[in-house]
Amino acid sequence: MRTTSQSFSSWAALLCTIGVFLSLLSLGAAVKENDFKKCHQSGFCKRNRAYADKAVAQGSSWQAPYTILPAEASFKDGLFHATILKTVDDKGTTVELPLTVAFHQSGTARVTIDEKKRQDRNIELRHNSQARKERYNEAEKWALVGGTTVDAAAKVSHQTETGIKIQYGPDSAFEADIKFSPYSIEFKRDGAAQLKLNDRGLMNLEHWRPKIEKPAAEENKEGEENTEKTEESTTEPEGDDESTWWDESFGGNTDSKPRGPESVALDVTFFGYDHVYGIPEHAGPLSLKETRGGDGAYSEPYRLYNSDVFEYILDSPMTLYGAIPLMQAQKKDSTVAVFWLNAAETWIDITKAKESTNPLHLGKGGKTNTHTHWISESGVMDLFVFLGPTPQDITKAYGELTGTTAMPQEFSIGYHQCRWNYVSDDDVKEVDRKMDRHQIPYDVIWLDIEYTHEKKYFTWDNDMFRDPISMGQQLDAHGRQLVVIIDPHIKNTGSYPVIDELKSNGLAVKNKESKDFEGWCWPGSSMWVDCFNPSAIKWWKSLFKYDKFKGTMENTWLWNDMNEPSVFNGPEVTMPKDNLHYGSWEHRDVHNINGLTFHHATYEALLSRKKGELRRPFVLTRSFYAGSQRVGAMWTGDNQANWEHLGAAIPMILNQGVSGFPFAGADVGGFFGNPDAELQSRWYQAGAFYPFFRGHAHIDSRRREPYMLAEPHRKIVTSALRLRYSLMPSWYTAFHQAHKDGSPIIRPMYWTHPGTESGFAVDDQFFVGSTGLLVKPVIEQGKTTQDLYVPDSEVYYDYFTYQQLSTSQGKTLTVDAPIESIPILMRGGHIFPRRDIPRRSAQLMKFDDYTLVVVVGKDGTAEGQLYTDDGDSFDYQKGDYIHRTFKLEESKLTSVDAEGRDSSSRERGEWMKKMHHVAVDKIIVVGAPASWAGKQEVQLEAGGEQSAVNIEYFKGGADRGAFAVVGRVGARIGADWTIDFS
């Protein structure tokens, strides 16, 4: 509650916030685009677009004002150092910009440009600001974990007064051709140009300059809603547009900009590349669109500025909740990428142009070059270049740089049941009982904000959640978990120890006057924990101890929402950019990293909540940045219960995967609105193949737990859930591969088949890990067939009937897809593990026997893997896991350790001892040769002993393909064994 000593203006703010609340709770109102900036309303974006237009209009006569001083350029031990001079006026005045190009053993190159005057803190801040004077240069502390060891073997291959060429990478196959005047860097692989920095001369680093006071009438505020001033002067001032250099207003908020203009911009050209991917999060196609208008193109740049976007629109470059500034470019058999390490608001323009070397050429046009223009509001210019040549090389190198997906809690890849809100602990218990009564598997039930007492985190509502321990115990007895929400805004009220400690310890984000920042969110008046501060992280961790967060247990986990951060009465529903964080960095400098810092702090808190405990955390986040993959999962935010949002989810999740954050999902059923039975059924079928699989609904939506559906839809949804659970061993294996090398968990066609150009824009189907399972969910109302794109000439089978399908490389295949069916194909040449005994949670499947599905390829062979561990601890880091490779070749199926380890020499922990009794129950061989007909036994060799096991061959028919079943094999899953089919 508010106190009587608060000012009238605070009451006015309260009334304003109530209005915001009412609009947020209205289902009928979608996102208001006017609440979020377009490029022309963002001063630095408008200035840099205008700069680009000017350069492009002048063509070859354009002179980029950036030049390297040859005398000061040096190269030693994998590092190139130089000073770039920026000419800033007609008198030849220059600004010094230190340049470093680092060549890494991983094959990446890093290009960093700073500004010497700011670097030396030799500038004056306006408004007596306490902000740092330097350009922000600490993003790497949060985003990077490795991959930056300098390659001392890098060498100069050519050097003159006009430039230098440096060879680096594997077998010195990469080359950086650095031109001094004007400054540019062209990156080559095997002698062929792949991409170029400052190719079109659009680089622009806004240097510091003092403000020269002018009469007020000359100053306009860019983006101001009141347009009266625009009538006074309809022309831009001559020279630079200074209207947003020193302050900028939008939506009634004014940004004081104490450091003046400081944006950085750079153009990057990808030579011969027609497709680019990445830079999530946006609700659009996987292959990114052009952004300068025209047929099928956007007119706005892609924006990265983490925001709380309510009921977001589709097919748009509009910013959403997270930002990963990694872009990959793809052409036939070649992939390259750039990673723009900047945490400030960023815009990216994309255009494409045909290039022809022969002006008289009358046939097919020349290659397509993709031109990109990166624009950030502040910070150093810092980017990494990846030269591939494969998508796998890019994801591996990016994983070395920013980290890979954390090995998850095994339960977290099961099904999650959520809504805003389950109203009481009895409600939770009843949902749990009903899921069991209807034999519907699930692993986790979630509580949104209403479980708290008056929206004070680390508390429970005294009336509705009187006995959270009893609730947790019932879930635990059924092998299930509980997730509760904790957001970064802390209610600013009396008699609340959490806010008292936050303020007394000085751990809150500050406003521009260095006082605790107060804004509005769900609790009303709130303050925000500053997780850039190590002391704040230490304090935050203490709040989650079981003896402090009363009512939580070992099966309680966390959900971080609203961490963009969302501030209901702030500019663009977030914090003012001139707020101050730990180290006196402005919020503008760190905005896109903010969500990662909070996510990271909560992850650290869950590692150990009592003495002697060390477990893998599970924390879901809405806001994210490069590196967030190391600490949990994400979801695509506040989607809607309609077919369009169902369709949009797949490319969004695929984009997360190729951008290094594959533990991703969308709210199944749609957060806003009420899906009908068909939409809900189809969404569960799609959701069963999201890496993160959660059903969620808005507080005003009707209850829609799966058991509430009428038949046949309840059975359809239950079947989809059971399919997910039967494939849990394959999902867990895919997560392990993502953890090891950064691979996507669900994989788009360009990633799996980078040599097949016809699949580069396909973004509505995917392969699941390395299983060979090709899935294309139905995303259109009333549709009962599905057209699958076939990317290669391998044999394909129907997952359910084992029928061999008539496929052709690069063509589509139409399959039946009635409402009860999910279109799934099995690609020949793969082996994948399942567990076929229906259970009500993943916890209860831990020691079930396995089924192996062998899908015979065209050449008669197949291969696959299984990875498993205890799914909870970090003992896998000590070697306590099972990792097997299965191979079918020359009529023999073998199982060997995937890493060549000798299991007999290792000391076994408790989990390994229990797994000693887990076996392969049966093996299904799809596409079994007709020569196996009549066989009744095959020979199993395991542990030096031979035995016969039964085999039954099933001849193919009109609606079923040929297959064989080896029954009750009994071979230990963790042991070496061979089955001889000859």
Side-chain angles (χ1 to χ4, degrees):
M1 297 291 291
R2 306 286 286 178
T3 64
T4 54
S5 63
Q6 289 169 311
S7 67
F8 174 80
S9 62
S10 295
W11 282 109
L14 173 59
L15 292 173
C16 239
T17 304
I18 290 171
V20 173
F21 269 92
L22 292 175
S23 67
L24 285 172
L25 293 175
S26 170
L27 282 176
V31 60
K32 295 179 180 177
E33 288 192 76
N34 292 336
D35 289 345
F36 298 91
K37 289 183 180 180
K38 300 291 180 64
C39 180
H40 73 277
Q41 297 167 306
S42 177
F44 75 94
C45 183
K46 179 182 178 181
R47 293 195 300 272
N48 279 285
R49 257 195 165 187
Y51 186 88
D53 290 342
K54 179 180 178 182
V56 171
Q58 292 187 20
S60 59
S61 65
W62 169 251
Q63 293 294 316
Y66 296 89
T67 301
I68 288 177
L69 283 174
E72 295 187 15
S74 66
F75 176 77
K76 184 180 180 181
D77 296 331
L79 293 172
F80 174 78
H81 292 289
T83 297
I84 298 174
L85 294 184
K86 175 187 178 183
T87 303
V88 299
D89 58 27
D90 294 338
K91 300 176 182 178
T93 307
T94 59
V95 171
E96 294 184 17
L97 309 175
L99 164 71
T100 300
V101 184
F103 302 95
H104 303 140
Q105 291 179 2
S106 62
T108 61
R110 182 180 190 178
V111 181
T112 307
I113 302 175
D114 208 333
E115 179 184 354
K116 191 172 190 307
K117 203 172 188 69
R118 296 187 201 255
Q119 197 176 50
D120 294 342
R121 305 181 187 180
N122 188 23
I123 68 170
E124 297 175 5
L125 301 183
R126 301 171 64 243
H127 314 303
N128 298 313
S129 172
Q130 299 302 305
R132 289 279 283 268
K133 294 183 177 182
E134 308 99 306
R135 289 181 173 273
Y136 183 65
N137 58 6
E138 296 183 358
E140 65 181 275
K141 290 184 178 181
W142 295 99
L144 306 187
V145 294
T148 57
T149 303
V150 173
D151 181 8
K155 58 188 178 183
V156 175
S157 61
H158 185 72
Q159 185 171 7
T160 67
E161 284 296 303
T162 62
I164 185 171
K165 296 180 180 180
I166 299 169
Q167 291 180 337
Y168 67 103
D171 301 319
S172 297
F174 301 161
E175 183 179 83
D177 185 354
I178 305 172
K179 291 286 192 292
F180 291 168
S181 183
Y183 159 76
S184 68
I185 308 180
E186 185 173 80
F187 287 90
K188 300 177 181 180
R189 186 180 66 232
D190 297 324
Q194 304 296 325
L195 64 91
K196 187 175 181 179
L197 312 185
N198 206 29
D199 176 46
R200 296 181 294 158
L202 308 188
M203 175 172 152
N204 184 31
L205 191 146
E206 293 185 318
H207 60 283
W208 183 82
R209 77 290 310 270
K211 182 180 181 183
I212 300 173
E213 298 296 338
K214 297 181 180 180
E218 293 187 23
E219 297 185 3
N220 296 319
K221 306 296 189 297
E222 189 67 41
E224 189 72 74
E225 291 176 345
N226 186 341
T227 59
E228 291 178 5
K229 289 186 179 180
T230 62
E231 298 176 5
E232 298 173 9
S233 175
T234 57
T235 60
E236 293 288 338
E238 292 186 9
D240 291 331
D241 175 11
E242 301 182 20
S243 62
T244 55
W245 278 9
W246 309 108
D247 53 56
E248 185 169 354
S249 296
F250 182 81
N253 293 274
T254 298
D255 175 9
S256 62
K257 294 192 173 183
R259 297 184 303 228
E262 53 181 326
S263 72
V264 292
L266 180 69
D267 63 290
V268 181
T269 296
F270 298 98
F271 298 116
Y273 291 87
D274 199 9
H275 293 271
V276 286
Y277 311 96
I279 58 169
E281 182 182 28
H282 303 95
L286 178 66
S287 181
L288 302 174
K289 291 186 175 184
E290 295 183 70
T291 60
R292 282 293 203 151
D295 219 10
Y298 299 138
S299 58
E300 286 289 310
Y302 284 93
R303 190 185 187 201
L304 297 177
Y305 189 63
N306 297 355
S307 301
D308 181 0
V309 183
F310 178 76
E311 286 192 315
Y312 54 83
I313 57 175
L314 304 181
D315 195 15
S316 168
M318 184 178 181
T319 190
L320 289 177
Y321 310 96
I324 300 177
L326 171 71
M327 180 182 286
Q328 299 181 52
Q330 183 68 42
K331 62 183 177 183
K332 183 176 174 59
D333 293 320
S334 182
T335 318
V336 295
V338 293
F339 172 46
W340 178 264
L341 182 56
N342 191 295
E345 178 186 353
T346 298
W347 303 77
I348 304 108
D349 264 320
I350 300 171
T351 57
K352 299 178 183 181
K354 286 285 186 183
E355 177 184 292
S356 179
T357 56
N358 181 1
L360 301 178
H361 187 61
L362 300 178
K364 185 178 179 181
K367 65 182 181 180
T368 296
N369 294 335
T370 294
H371 302 291
T372 64
H373 187 200
W374 301 71
I375 308 167
S376 291
E377 183 175 15
S378 65
V380 297
M381 186 180 293
D382 193 0
L383 75 155
F384 293 78
V385 174
F386 306 79
L387 294 181
T390 70
Q392 292 80 4
D393 292 324
I394 301 296
T395 51
K396 183 179 180 182
Y398 179 74
E400 290 177 12
L401 198 65
T402 66
T404 59
T405 294
M407 277 305 294
Q409 279 280 347
E410 189 172 24
F411 73 77
S412 68
I413 61 175
Y415 173 63
H416 300 248
Q417 181 61 49
C418 183
R419 73 171 283 110
W420 175 28
N421 204 84
Y422 290 114
V423 298
S424 67
D425 46 20
D426 285 336
D427 191 10
V428 170
K429 292 177 181 178
E430 183 63 13
V431 171
D432 180 61
R433 283 191 289 264
K434 286 183 176 178
M435 294 288 275
D436 279 348
R437 191 178 306 149
H438 292 279
Q439 299 182 327
I440 300 173
Y442 87 104
D443 264 88
V444 194
I445 193 164
W446 292 52
L447 293 177
D448 211 318
I449 194 169
E450 309 303 332
Y451 79 91
T452 62
H453 176 59
E454 297 178 346
K455 296 183 174 59
K456 292 183 285 189
Y457 298 116
F458 306 99
T459 70
W460 298 86
D461 185 284
N462 296 325
D463 295 322
M464 306 308 291
F465 289 88
R466 296 181 180 180
D467 192 359
I469 292 294
S470 172
M471 173 180 63
Q473 287 172 338
Q474 176 179 311
L475 294 172
D476 189 52
H478 296 169
R480 296 194 174 115
Q481 318 291 318
L482 177 72
V483 168
V484 297
I485 196 169
I486 301 256
D487 294 342
H489 49 260
I490 306 300
K491 186 169 185 174
N492 188 23
T493 186
S495 303
Y496 180 29
V498 177
I499 191 66
D500 294 340
E501 293 173 15
L502 180 73
K503 291 194 283 189
S504 64
N505 292 313
L507 304 177
V509 177
K510 311 302 181 187
N511 62 21
K512 62 185 178 183
E513 284 89 25
S514 297
K515 298 176 182 178
D516 289 344
F517 169 70
E518 180 184 354
W520 289 77
C521 205
W522 294 123
S525 174
S526 303
M527 292 181 177
W528 276 257
V529 58
D530 184 3
C531 290
F532 288 90
N533 186 342
S535 297
I537 296 174
K538 183 178 179 181
W539 168 74
W540 190 250
K541 288 164 63 175
S542 73
L543 300 178
F544 290 85
K545 302 295 184 184
Y546 298 122
D547 59 1
K548 190 159 187 178
F549 188 0
K550 303 289 186 181
T552 60
M553 298 170 49
E554 285 83 352
N555 65 336
T556 307
W557 309 92
L558 267 294
W559 171 17
N560 289 161
D561 198 357
M562 315 297 283
N563 52 333
E564 293 77 25
S566 177
V567 182
F568 290 164
N569 63 332
E572 299 192 89
V573 202
T574 192
M575 273 186 188
K577 289 182 174 179
D578 49 11
N579 272 7
L580 296 174
H581 288 269
Y582 175 78
S584 298
W585 294 112
E586 280 195 296
H587 185 73
R588 86 179 70 253
D589 300 318
V590 301
H591 175 85
N592 285 343
I593 289 180
N594 186 82
L596 165 59
T597 68
F598 185 65
H599 192 196
H600 167 262
T602 306
Y603 175 92
E604 290 288 315
L606 296 195
L607 283 168
S608 182
R609 289 176 276 178
K610 67 179 180 182
K611 188 175 181 180
E613 180 183 71
L614 183 61
R615 301 172 68 199
R616 300 178 214 173
F618 172 74
V619 189
L620 180 74
T621 185
R622 188 171 72 175
S623 181
F624 56 86
Y625 189 73
S628 291
Q629 68 272 11
R630 304 189 302 265
V631 290
M634 62 76 64
W635 92 108
T636 61
D638 297 342
N639 60 357
Q640 300 180 48
N642 60 45
W643 291 92
E644 291 77 16
H645 273 261
L646 168 59
I650 295 173
M652 292 178 75
I653 295 168
L654 288 173
N655 205 15
Q656 289 291 135
V658 301
S659 301
F661 197 172
F663 197 177
D667 284 343
V668 170
F671 180 61
F672 290 105
N674 297 297
D676 61 25
E678 182 190 1
L679 175 58
Q680 190 170 353
S681 298
R682 288 302 196 189
W683 214 320
Y684 270 90
Q685 291 174 344
F689 291 92
Y690 297 166
F692 175 61
F693 183 18
R694 181 182 74 159
H696 189 32
H698 188 271
I699 196 169
D700 289 340
S701 298
R702 294 191 295 267
R703 294 290 286 257
R704 53 167 121 123
E705 290 71 26
Y707 54 74
M708 298 188 71
L709 285 163
E711 296 295 5
H713 294 282
R714 184 194 302 157
K715 183 178 179 181
I716 291 168
V717 167
T718 302
S719 295
L721 286 161
R722 288 182 178 171
L723 177 60
R724 170 65 168 228
Y725 277 84
S726 72
L727 288 170
M728 284 285 277
S730 289
W731 281 105
Y732 200 69
T733 300
F735 269 86
H736 172 257
Q737 189 169 354
H739 173 66
K740 295 298 287 185
D741 62 15
S743 298
I745 293 167
I746 60 172
R747 302 172 178 179
M749 299 302 99
Y750 94 85
W751 199 92
T752 58
H753 293 77
T756 308
E757 293 176 280
S758 55
F760 288 177
V762 174
D763 61 6
D764 54 1
Q765 65 180 53
F766 48 84
F767 285 99
V768 178
S770 298
T771 61
L773 295 178
L774 179 60
V775 184
K776 185 172 183 179
V778 175
I779 57 172
E780 296 177 48
Q781 186 174 16
K783 193 170 184 181
T784 57
T785 62
Q786 187 63 293
D787 299 322
L788 286 95
Y789 169 82
V790 179
D792 55 43
S793 59
E794 184 53 87
V795 62
Y796 283 82
Y797 303 86
D798 182 271
Y799 180 85
F800 299 101
T801 67
Y802 305 154
Q803 272 191 310
Q804 183 175 335
L805 303 169
S806 178
T807 60
S808 180
Q809 181 175 1
K811 305 296 183 181
T812 57
L813 168 73
T814 301
V815 299
D816 290 333
I819 184 64
E820 66 274 8
S821 174
I822 309 172
I824 308 172
L825 306 187
M826 296 184 289
R827 184 178 184 271
H830 294 267
I831 300 173
F832 60 90
R834 293 192 319 216
R835 275 177 162 153
D836 288 345
I837 302 172
R839 302 289 190 187
R840 61 189 180 189
S841 71
Q843 180 71 24
L844 301 179
M845 300 170 64
K846 273 186 176 293
F847 302 107
D848 283 350
D849 288 343
Y850 289 87
T851 294
L852 296 181
V853 180
V854 180
V855 188
V856 181
K858 287 173 67 175
D859 61 359
T861 67
E863 184 174 346
Q865 290 195 347
L866 165 72
Y867 174 88
T868 186
D869 57 34
D870 68 16
D872 178 82
S873 75
F874 290 92
D875 288 351
Y876 68 90
Q877 296 177 347
K878 305 172 186 176
D880 223 13
Y881 59 85
I882 292 170
H883 191 191
R884 309 300 298 176
T885 292
F886 309 108
K887 280 188 179 180
L888 174 69
E889 56 185 353
E890 297 180 352
S891 298
K892 288 185 178 181
L893 177 65
T894 59
S895 172
V896 298
D897 190 279
E899 300 163 28
R901 302 180 304 162
D902 180 6
S903 59
S904 63
S905 64
R906 291 199 316 273
E907 184 177 346
R908 292 183 296 171
E910 287 302 312
W911 175 82
M912 286 290 288
K913 290 176 183 177
K914 292 180 180 179
M915 287 297 292
H916 187 76
H917 304 289
V918 177
V920 177
D921 177 52
K922 65 181 176 181
I923 299 169
I924 301 170
V925 183
V926 179
S931 60
W932 290 9
K935 277 184 180 291
Q936 295 183 339
E937 291 182 346
V938 291
Q939 291 299 309
L940 167 68
E941 180 183 349
E945 297 182 1
Q946 296 248 0
S947 60
V949 292
N950 295 331
I951 183 172
E952 186 174 5
Y953 180 84
F954 296 87
K955 186 179 179 181
D959 57 357
R960 189 180 70 184
F963 67 101
V965 178
V966 183
R968 194 51 198 159
V969 177
R972 289 196 299 110
I973 192 63
D976 292 352
W977 49 261
T978 299
I979 292 177
D980 191 343
F981 292 98
S982 62

